Amino acid sequence: QVQLVESGGGLVQPGGSLRLSCIASRSISSIDGMAWYRQAPGKQREVVAALTSGGTPVYADSVKGRFTISRDTAKNMVYLQMNSLKPEDTAVYYCNAQQAEGAVVYNYWGQGTQVTVSS
């Protein structure tokens, strides 16, 4: 199992920046995949950015060129740098870890952090 805790959310004006952080309870080097998801009111949770176990980033089209996912394996941290924020980025952002055990894939979630983009 792995516990995840997010931080860094808040209120920011359109065009501004925020950096979200996620700390894992164990080594992220041993976790198959790490990702950031978001869920806006009345909408389904969607993946924003993900890192494979090898560190390759993947982004949703809506955030390409604006968001950057990264990790610090020494600190067991995953980050989401968000630039040029738009009102439509407003959502609760969740850190996710995926771990395969045989044929079963387990998903672990943090408690979420609110990001509000508004003037």
Side-chain angles (χ1 to χ4, degrees):
Q1 284 199 353
V2 57
Q3 283 75 48
L4 304 168
V5 178
E6 304 98 334
S7 61
L11 173 64
V12 63
Q13 292 187 342
S17 298
L18 280 176
R19 188 177 82 153
L20 305 182
S21 300
C22 171
I23 185 165
S25 60
R26 65 177 177 89
S27 172
I28 61 174
S29 297
S30 64
I31 297 175
D32 292 328
M34 299 290 298
W36 286 96
Y37 283 69
R38 67 185 180 188
Q39 187 167 20
K43 294 189 177 181
Q44 288 190 334
R45 192 172 297 189
E46 62 177 1
V47 62
V48 175
L51 278 174
T52 66
S53 58
T56 301
V58 180
Y59 298 97
D61 287 344
S62 59
V63 306
K64 279 181 183 176
R66 299 188 299 123
F67 289 13
T68 302
I69 187 171
S70 63
R71 65 181 184 178
D72 185 334
T73 54
K75 297 180 179 179
N76 296 331
M77 298 283 291
V78 179
Y79 304 99
L80 185 68
Q81 178 67 44
M82 305 185 294
N83 299 327
S84 302
L85 282 160
K86 305 175 181 180
E88 51 264 43
D89 294 318
T90 296
V92 178
Y93 283 70
Y94 296 91
C95 184
N96 167 267
Q98 280 197 347
Q99 186 67 49
E101 295 183 14
V104 180
V105 177
Y106 293 92
N107 277 283
Y108 301 96
W109 299 92
Q111 82 287 352
T113 185
Q114 177 70 47
V115 172
T116 303
V117 184
S118 175
S119 55

